[in-house]
Amino acid sequence: MLRIHVSGVDLSRVRMATRPDAMWETILSFHRLRDRRGSTVFGKWRKESRTRLNGEARLLSTVVPPRGYFPDFLTPSQGSAEPLGLDAGIEALRDTPVDRIRAEIGLLTAHASLTRRPPSGPPAGPALPEALAEGRTEPLGRLISTLRAYHRAAVEPYWPHIRASVEADRAVRGRALLDGGADELLATLPPMIRWRAPVLEADYPVDRELRLDGRGLLLQPSFFCRTTPVVCRDPALPPVLVYPVTHPGAPAVPEPGPWLGRLVGHTRSAVLRSIDNGCTTSELARRTGVSLASASQHACVLREAGLVRTLRHGSSVLHTLTPLGAALIRGGAPIAVP
């Protein structure tokens, strides 16, 4: 059980991350790559990603075990609502003090999960954790190059889907914040997280107490986080709670469908524009002047096309644009990756 102690000051300083965090998604996706569960959501992604990898998994597995502790320096954070992009995150990792790397590698090597046999394949050279702990430049550069290559293969091609999932979650949490403040926001987090003021409890593999002490809390929704949330082990780091977004039972990588021929007409264009900053089906019907059933049907077609995400919010559903849908409204402007 994880218990996060939240004072009144902390409650006023709860923040939502503005977008997915490239470093967290990279590290957590490596967990999903080796996890056989969640095949409905991640099965196609695993199959595609593995075909693009070229030995990165073997080296990364020496610093990111299949479960349990991995070094905090792999997911640097400035504690602000604007997460670091991949380049900024890599530079922050590169600037990690040697003493911190040595201490966190010490925790890693002491962890029981390191006794598990690494993936089969050619030798990866000198043991990376020990080399990192020595503070030499070359092993850190090797780790950074591997992280970049892994990110390009397993995360970057799916970034629009990752971002769409996180933005849909933000829309749901934003509604809760507007409806009932930070209390309501914390109360509507995924079911493995429970707000029992003044303590935020969460399912967790070990017992852990985290006291915010007036620093507030950054909520970071994550596409590749699964089952339980994640926090940094070092309590002195800016408090960040990484939690899983809701996957509506669909593959992470949408399959092609017979939607393109249906994606025409003024009404559907109006529906797409009306969704813009997020709306329920009832609001969509009112904005476009169509029936509730018609609004639901249009939203369904747009969702099949990968232009809209739909998540449940209380007794209703909330529709938000994906990056592809937003780009279509803008006239095909490029979709940025981290």
Side-chain angles (χ1 to χ4, degrees):
M1 176 79 72
L2 169 68
R3 299 176 182 85
I4 303 176
H5 298 267
V6 184
S7 68
V9 172
D10 293 315
L11 194 61
S12 69
R13 295 177 179 172
V14 171
R15 307 173 307 288
M16 281 292 305
T18 59
R19 55 189 173 89
D21 185 290
M23 297 299 285
W24 275 109
E25 297 298 346
T26 299
I27 299 301
L28 293 176
S29 73
F30 189 51
H31 283 289
R32 300 290 76 77
L33 190 75
R34 297 169 291 174
D35 187 354
R36 296 181 180 179
R37 298 171 295 176
S39 59
T40 300
V41 175
F42 297 112
K44 186 170 184 284
W45 165 79
R46 287 191 189 106
K47 182 178 179 180
E48 293 182 355
S49 296
R50 283 170 178 158
T51 64
R52 289 189 289 264
L53 293 174
N54 187 29
E56 292 87 357
R58 179 174 175 80
L59 189 142
L60 284 182
S61 67
T62 64
V63 290
V64 184
R67 59 186 59 84
Y69 174 77
F70 59 84
D72 290 333
F73 68 76
L74 294 174
T75 53
S77 171
Q78 54 191 2
S80 70
E82 185 68 21
L84 297 174
L86 180 67
D87 289 339
I90 288 293
E91 288 309 307
L93 192 161
R94 194 190 303 275
D95 292 339
T96 306
V98 173
D99 288 347
R100 178 181 169 189
I101 292 179
R102 185 176 296 118
E104 294 184 8
I105 290 296
L107 289 172
L108 177 67
T109 56
H111 198 276
S113 65
L114 280 181
T115 61
R116 297 178 181 274
R117 182 174 298 174
S120 60
L128 182 62
E130 289 79 0
L132 287 169
E134 293 173 2
R136 292 188 282 116
T137 302
E138 186 276 331
L140 185 59
R142 186 153 50 104
L143 172 61
I144 287 172
S145 296
T146 302
L147 282 170
R148 282 192 181 277
Y150 174 82
H151 180 90
R152 283 195 299 268
V155 179
E156 185 176 292
Y158 309 97
W159 194 254
H161 305 296
I162 295 168
R163 197 172 76 180
S165 296
V166 169
E167 289 179 353
D169 184 272
R170 273 176 48 82
V172 171
R173 309 305 161 208
R175 289 265 173 150
L177 182 64
L178 290 173
D179 291 345
D183 270 297
E184 182 70 13
L185 167 60
L186 295 179
T188 58
L189 290 173
M192 78 286 295
I193 306 171
R194 299 164 293 278
W195 174 230
R196 294 170 178 164
V199 177
L200 189 64
E201 296 181 351
D203 298 338
Y204 209 64
V206 296
D207 281 334
R208 175 85 188 277
E209 305 282 336
L210 176 59
R211 300 186 182 277
L212 302 181
D213 296 328
R215 295 174 295 169
L217 180 66
L218 175 63
L219 300 174
Q220 177 67 66
S222 168
F223 183 84
F224 285 110
C225 186
R226 185 182 184 275
T227 308
T228 61
V230 187
V231 295
C232 293
R233 189 184 189 280
D234 186 350
L237 293 173
V240 179
L241 179 67
V242 182
Y243 66 89
V245 300
T246 300
H247 294 286
V253 186
E255 297 283 357
W259 48 264
L260 189 56
R262 292 181 283 164
L263 193 61
V264 294
H266 295 293
T267 301
R268 193 155 295 143
S269 175
V271 168
L272 188 63
R273 292 179 182 277
S274 296
I275 290 174
D276 198 5
N277 293 318
C279 65
T280 65
T281 306
S282 298
E283 290 169 342
L284 183 59
R286 289 196 299 270
R287 292 177 184 180
T288 56
V290 300
S291 68
L292 192 62
S294 179
S296 179
Q297 181 184 18
H298 285 304
C300 179
V301 172
L302 294 171
R303 184 169 59 252
E304 290 175 357
L307 303 175
V308 167
R309 288 276 300 183
T310 301
L311 290 179
R312 182 158 296 280
H313 176 60
S315 60
S316 60
V317 294
L318 184 65
H319 309 290
T320 60
L321 293 181
T322 66
L324 182 60
L328 186 61
I329 289 177
R330 294 194 303 269
I335 301 172
V337 296

